Amino acid sequence: MNIEDVKTLLDSYNPWWRDKEWSQNHPLLRAVRESILQNPPRLFYHIVNSLPKQGYYGIVTIRGPRRVGKTTLIVRIIDHLISKSGIKPENVFYIPLDYKKLESLNLFDLFYVTAQLPEEKYIFLDEASMRRDWALVLKNLVDAGLVEKGKLKIIVTGSHSMDLAEAVSKLSDRQGRLASLFNLGGNLFHVPLRFVEILEAIRPDIDDYLRRYRLRKPRERFNILLQLWHGTIPKALEDFYNEFSELLNEIFEDYLLHGGFPKTVDQYHREGTIEPSFYHDLAELVISDSENAGLKPENTKRVLEFLTEHERLSSLLGLEKRENIGKHVTGVDEEGFPSARFGFGKYLEYLETTKLFLFPYREDSSQTCTPNYRADRKVYVMDPFPYYAFKAHIHNEVDPLGFSKKLLSEPGFKGRLVESVVAAHLVMAQQFFEHVSTVDYHKVLLYSKNEKETDYVLCLSRKGEKHRILIESKYRENARREVPEGKKIILTKNKLEVVEEEENMHIYVPVTAFLALF
């Protein structure tokens, strides 16, 4: 293989090599221009600000759920590199490994050939999970010195995060100086849009307000969080909520239906609907991808049925009752319980690494942010849309959006979903508030159960100082009906005040204002 072979093989995937106006015609960029989501996700800025830095070579990984927009993110980065950063088009290589045409591609040979070119090269390896050998190839490249000598900047994406997580361990200490420029040691996550990102995208007035009062700065938001925890409602937060409370509630109600997947946000706000096929496509991809993790797709589907049972969301898994899961899975014993070879934990691990589910541990009795790994875990979804997608797919719903609206109107369900949404925002807080080389998410967000349960124990570190913050979710009109003991931030529907009673301090904050901090 020589460079001409490489160019011929990849030509159709790299239109910038031959067309100066490629970005005007690219379907993904055209869709972005037509979308209400004009602003790129935060991850885009993090990448384009660091990636072009000269003399830094290595490997960066981007993990995220299917259909979350990883390929669109890459194309936007490529467009920025060429049009804004002055990178020559011929030095940018895009390799989509989910195309059959590239199934037999010899990755090592391709990297070896491109490494011989004299200038810095940007190589985007999309959907690497489709190739089991990709991590070994990159390890061999690093060990041969080709990444540094060949001036290679390699960006790898994948949806099957269990595979990428395993690969990252293989590449330990081999990701190069480039990775050191990024948060999480260059092992990034592209997750659905957070509530505040949707606010900023669809409401220019809110975006302008947050920018004008510096409320987009992680440092400012973290300081507001600490002030709340210490019993003070910052004027900046109070003014923001008073200015936009009705809008915040309206947009939040929509968010609980469409979630943070760019396509669902855009389609819902432009057309008032979401394609039924998108629900089923997402669910089917997650189920079928589990086979790449060595799991049985039929069992994955049954585990998803178990996890999306109405009463399970924001509740305990309940695995002490073996019949809870035994009725759902294949490979059971004569009593109908999972056989010893079923490996339920592997399915939970797979679903958690897709960044679509979260299973927090209970904090142990030391109250020092230490998980009790033997206690039962809670069930949260990382975004509302996948929950509806799984449930609609499993129950063969022909109108998933109508089904979702009906579900959201059922007594008690909205409160459960809001609790799950809050958890999804909190668990990503550490990497948002401070750049860190790695995060153990099971030590960022826990729940507590002494005499009564505390929904969230948020454990953060900033500037070397550790913080442990207790938070309750009470999404209702009268949040004081069930007042928890001790000092806690209590997330409400519309209440903003601090109440001190004897030894208790309760900081009531509307969930919409609180989520704007994350």
Side-chain angles (χ1 to χ4, degrees):
M1 179 182 285
N2 56 40
I3 192 60
E4 293 308 318
D5 295 330
V6 170
K7 294 277 188 177
T8 300
L9 183 64
L10 300 179
D11 181 75
S12 60
Y13 312 114
N14 294 260
W16 45 89
W17 290 346
R18 51 187 155 73
D19 182 6
K20 289 183 179 180
E21 304 299 322
W22 73 275
S23 62
Q24 297 303 311
N25 304 314
H26 197 287
L28 293 180
L29 294 180
R30 188 167 58 244
V32 167
R33 289 192 294 271
E34 296 170 355
S35 170
I36 65 167
L37 300 173
Q38 295 291 315
N39 296 335
R42 299 282 173 79
L43 185 58
F44 168 86
Y45 297 104
H46 181 46
I47 293 172
V48 299
N49 288 336
S50 300
L51 190 59
K53 191 168 183 179
Q54 289 192 342
Y56 285 79
Y57 312 116
I59 303 161
V60 173
T61 67
I62 304 173
R63 293 176 258 180
R66 285 283 204 156
R67 305 296 193 192
V68 81
K70 293 186 298 298
T71 300
T72 299
L73 173 67
I74 284 180
V75 174
R76 295 185 80 163
I77 291 169
I78 291 172
D79 183 33
H80 188 279
L81 289 173
I82 294 171
S83 64
K84 305 293 185 185
S85 301
I87 305 303
K88 295 178 181 178
E90 61 267 27
N91 289 332
V92 179
F93 297 77
Y94 174 67
I95 309 166
L97 292 181
D98 54 345
Y99 279 74
K100 281 191 174 292
K101 180 181 174 182
L102 302 181
E103 275 183 348
S104 60
L105 173 65
N106 188 314
L107 280 178
F108 187 89
D109 285 355
L110 184 146
F111 281 110
Y112 180 83
V113 168
T114 54
Q116 310 310 310
L117 299 174
E119 298 177 339
E120 294 184 337
K121 279 78 64 181
Y122 297 76
I123 303 177
F124 294 85
L125 208 58
D126 199 12
E127 289 299 349
S129 303
M130 298 300 166
R131 288 283 295 265
R132 291 180 177 270
D133 65 336
W134 73 267
L136 181 60
V137 168
L138 294 187
K139 175 183 176 294
N140 291 339
L141 280 172
V142 173
D143 290 346
L146 287 173
V147 172
E148 192 70 25
K149 292 176 184 175
K151 301 179 181 179
L152 302 182
K153 297 170 182 274
I154 303 170
I155 298 86
V156 183
T157 78
S159 304
H160 168 23
S161 292
M162 187 185 288
D163 172 68
L164 262 75
E166 186 178 316
V168 165
S169 67
K170 290 180 182 177
L171 294 170
S172 179
D173 299 323
R174 290 183 171 91
Q175 288 185 243
R177 295 175 68 228
L178 180 65
S180 68
L181 299 176
F182 292 87
N183 200 3
L184 300 173
N187 298 305
L188 308 172
F189 289 101
H190 186 25
V191 295
L193 296 170
R194 303 190 309 277
F195 177 59
V196 71
E197 290 181 286
I198 294 172
L199 288 176
E200 293 166 353
I202 68 176
R203 293 297 310 198
D205 49 348
I206 292 179
D207 184 36
D208 180 65
Y209 187 98
L210 293 173
R211 190 188 307 274
R212 193 159 16 106
Y213 291 97
R214 301 177 63 81
L215 294 177
R216 293 183 66 172
K217 301 284 186 182
R219 180 181 62 193
E220 297 299 325
R221 292 180 177 182
F222 186 77
N223 288 338
I224 289 174
L225 175 62
L226 285 190
Q227 288 178 64
L228 287 173
W229 177 236
H230 294 310
T232 300
I233 296 176
K235 187 175 185 303
L237 185 68
E238 186 173 14
D239 289 347
F240 171 68
Y241 183 69
N242 289 337
E243 178 83 13
F244 296 108
S245 58
E246 289 187 15
L247 266 177
L248 292 174
N249 289 334
E250 180 184 323
I251 296 169
F252 188 62
E253 289 292 319
D254 289 339
Y255 171 73
L256 293 178
L257 268 177
H258 59 59
F261 280 67
K263 181 173 180 177
T264 63
V265 177
D266 181 59
Q267 197 170 42
Y268 186 84
H269 283 275
R270 283 198 300 119
E271 303 172 19
T273 189
I274 300 171
E275 269 178 52
S277 62
F278 193 65
Y279 292 84
H280 296 290
D281 286 350
L282 175 63
E284 189 54 48
L285 283 168
V286 172
I287 291 167
S288 61
D289 278 358
S290 67
E291 192 166 10
N292 294 331
L295 306 177
K296 294 181 178 180
E298 180 59 28
N299 274 358
T300 303
K301 184 175 180 179
R302 291 167 182 261
V303 169
L304 285 170
E305 183 181 359
F306 166 73
L307 293 174
T308 55
E309 286 177 349
H310 185 87
E311 71 279 3
R312 193 130 358 248
L313 183 63
S314 300
S315 296
L316 297 177
L317 276 167
L319 295 182
E320 73 282 356
K321 299 178 181 177
R322 294 200 302 162
E323 63 271 18
N324 279 348
I325 185 64
K327 64 183 180 182
H328 287 294
V329 302
T330 58
V332 295
D333 61 24
E334 63 276 5
E335 300 177 68
F337 298 129
S339 68
R341 295 181 181 179
F342 169 58
F344 182 64
K346 290 279 187 186
Y347 290 83
L348 295 184
E349 183 185 2
Y350 165 71
L351 292 171
E352 196 165 48
T353 59
T354 63
K355 289 299 173 188
L356 294 174
F357 279 89
L358 174 67
F359 306 111
Y361 288 96
R362 190 174 83 199
E363 185 183 41
D364 74 8
S365 58
S366 69
Q367 298 186 1
T368 58
C369 295
T370 303
N372 179 347
Y373 294 109
R374 301 183 67 181
D376 206 353
R377 301 165 72 178
K378 293 189 79 170
V379 179
Y380 292 126
V381 286
M382 291 292 285
D383 186 83
F385 180 74
Y387 182 86
Y388 300 130
F390 294 136
K391 208 162 178 68
H393 183 70
I394 288 165
H395 295 284
N396 298 314
E397 294 290 339
V398 295
D399 178 18
L401 181 58
F403 170 74
S404 305
K405 289 179 178 178
K406 182 180 178 183
L407 194 59
L408 202 54
S409 68
E410 291 183 7
F413 178 77
K414 185 178 289 186
R416 289 177 180 270
L417 183 61
V418 170
E419 182 181 336
S420 188
V421 162
V422 172
H425 283 67
L426 293 178
V427 76
M428 306 300 285
Q430 178 62 70
Q431 66 200 62
F432 173 65
F433 287 128
E434 185 170 65
H435 280 203
V436 289
S437 60
T438 185
V439 173
D440 183 344
Y441 295 100
H442 291 141
K443 294 182 179 178
V444 173
L445 186 68
L446 307 97
Y447 73 95
S448 176
K449 192 170 185 180
N450 295 318
E451 292 183 6
K452 292 185 177 180
E453 183 178 302
T454 299
D455 292 333
Y456 321 104
V457 180
L458 179 63
C459 302
L460 300 174
S461 177
R462 181 170 167 82
K463 305 292 185 185
E465 188 174 348
K466 294 183 178 180
H467 305 273
R468 178 178 177 270
I469 301 172
L470 305 182
I471 305 170
E472 285 279 326
S473 179
K474 303 290 182 188
Y475 190 70
R476 58 177 70 100
E477 297 290 345
N478 183 8
R480 296 189 66 183
R481 286 186 302 173
E482 299 176 21
V483 180
E485 295 180 356
K487 176 184 175 184
K488 292 179 183 178
I489 295 174
I490 303 171
L491 304 181
T492 70
K493 190 170 185 179
N494 51 22
K495 189 180 185 68
L496 181 62
E497 70 171 332
V498 177
V499 177
E500 294 189 62
E501 298 174 347
E502 299 178 355
E503 297 181 2
N504 298 326
M505 177 186 287
H506 302 135
I507 304 100
Y508 294 92
V509 186
V511 69
T512 53
F514 186 79
L515 291 183
L517 301 177
F518 295 87

